Amino acid sequence: MNTRLAIGGFCLSVLSIVGCGQNTSDKRLEEASKKMEEAGKKMEEAAKEGGAAMGEAMKKMGEAIGAATGKKVTPVDLRELKALLPEVLPGMKRTRAEGERAAAMGLNISKAEGEYQKAGSSVHISLMDMGTLSGMAAMATVGWAMAEIDKETETGYEKTSTYQGYKSHEKYSRKSQDGEVTVLVDRFVVEVRGNNLPMEGIMAALGTVDLSKLAAMKGKGVEQ
């Protein structure tokens, strides 16, 4: 896929989902569409030029997405997300915990990650605040969230489902005993990956994350 198709597909998915899923006026969608088109062109040009031009183009894209959703969102402080990482998991100690704030496609995000280990097995937990991309707009950026998946093979499975009322995605290999589960909690993405563990162990790790506290933060930092 070339740069133009990738950028165009991203813009169209966000605009279409926002338009269908929210009370968005035709005028605002039209204005957002124009801004995204302009930002997309700038990103194409910046991709060829490189350097500082890309940073400015990504900033414009973020502004365009903000216009589409009608919101400006400051992500939750990384330290607040980090505080939601469990200190221990069943039979596992936390060996690393860190957080960061970064920019992607002109959007500010914050993230916290924790590593947990015991002899021969490990778990990685990630909590990410996608900021402006919330609700249906967030679903547009997470491929599985807009699909129904149910696959089963001799060595593993993949499926979409719900967890505590939130859209979720599971993938597991029985052969390697590696798997992951991801849950979309409005603008927050919770991901748990396990190595050399049964899927029950990975789900148990997910159960130690308080999703209700994340959900309570969905209005934090939001400017209409």
Side-chain angles (χ1 to χ4, degrees):
M1 182 181 290
N2 61 34
T3 302
R4 177 172 292 184
L5 287 176
I7 294 170
F10 176 78
C11 295
L12 284 173
S13 64
V14 172
L15 281 174
S16 61
I17 297 300
V18 170
C20 293
Q22 300 182 11
N23 295 323
T24 308
S25 68
D26 291 341
K27 183 178 180 180
R28 198 177 86 197
L29 272 179
E30 185 178 351
E31 291 174 351
S33 179
K34 288 179 180 178
K35 287 184 178 181
M36 277 199 168
E37 184 178 356
E38 292 172 1
K41 289 178 180 178
K42 285 185 180 293
M43 288 194 74
E44 288 175 32
E45 295 170 359
K48 297 175 183 177
E49 298 174 12
M54 179 56 79
E56 182 61 27
M58 291 178 72
K59 180 181 178 183
K60 292 293 184 184
M61 179 60 76
E63 292 172 354
I65 295 173
T69 60
K71 301 176 183 177
K72 179 181 178 182
V73 181
T74 300
V76 170
D77 187 275
L78 63 91
R79 293 159 191 83
E80 292 186 64
L81 287 181
K82 189 178 173 184
L84 294 180
L85 292 170
E87 293 187 6
V88 295
L89 297 180
M92 286 190 177
K93 293 182 179 181
R94 191 171 71 189
T95 57
R96 180 176 68 89
E98 61 185 38
E100 67 174 328
R101 186 170 176 176
M105 292 292 288
L107 301 172
N108 289 319
I109 64 170
S110 59
K111 182 169 68 171
E113 297 178 292
E115 291 281 353
Y116 305 80
Q117 294 184 344
K118 67 177 181 181
S121 302
S122 64
V123 167
H124 177 272
I125 296 179
S126 171
L127 310 177
M128 182 170 66
D129 181 359
M130 295 195 293
T132 300
L133 294 179
S134 62
M136 296 297 285
M139 293 178 73
T141 66
V142 183
W144 54 262
M146 298 303 297
E148 292 297 329
I149 302 170
D150 191 3
K151 298 179 182 178
E152 183 87 27
T153 69
E154 292 181 356
T155 59
Y157 73 89
E158 179 182 8
K159 69 177 182 178
T160 53
S161 185
T162 57
Y163 180 82
Q164 295 184 11
Y166 300 107
K167 188 77 174 181
S168 66
H169 174 258
E170 296 177 32
K171 192 173 183 179
Y172 188 73
S173 169
R174 298 187 185 95
K175 186 176 181 179
S176 62
Q177 286 201 307
D178 292 340
E180 62 184 60
V181 57
T182 308
V183 184
L184 186 61
V185 185
D186 195 71
R187 71 191 225 201
F188 300 96
V189 179
V190 179
E191 181 185 68
V192 179
R193 299 196 309 268
N195 174 258
N196 197 27
L197 281 173
M199 193 61 191
E200 291 79 7
I202 297 172
M203 295 303 294
L206 174 62
T208 64
V209 180
D210 194 337
L211 300 189
S212 65
K213 288 185 177 179
L214 276 177
M217 293 180 180
K218 69 179 182 180
K220 198 164 188 175
V222 177
E223 298 176 31
Q224 297 291 347

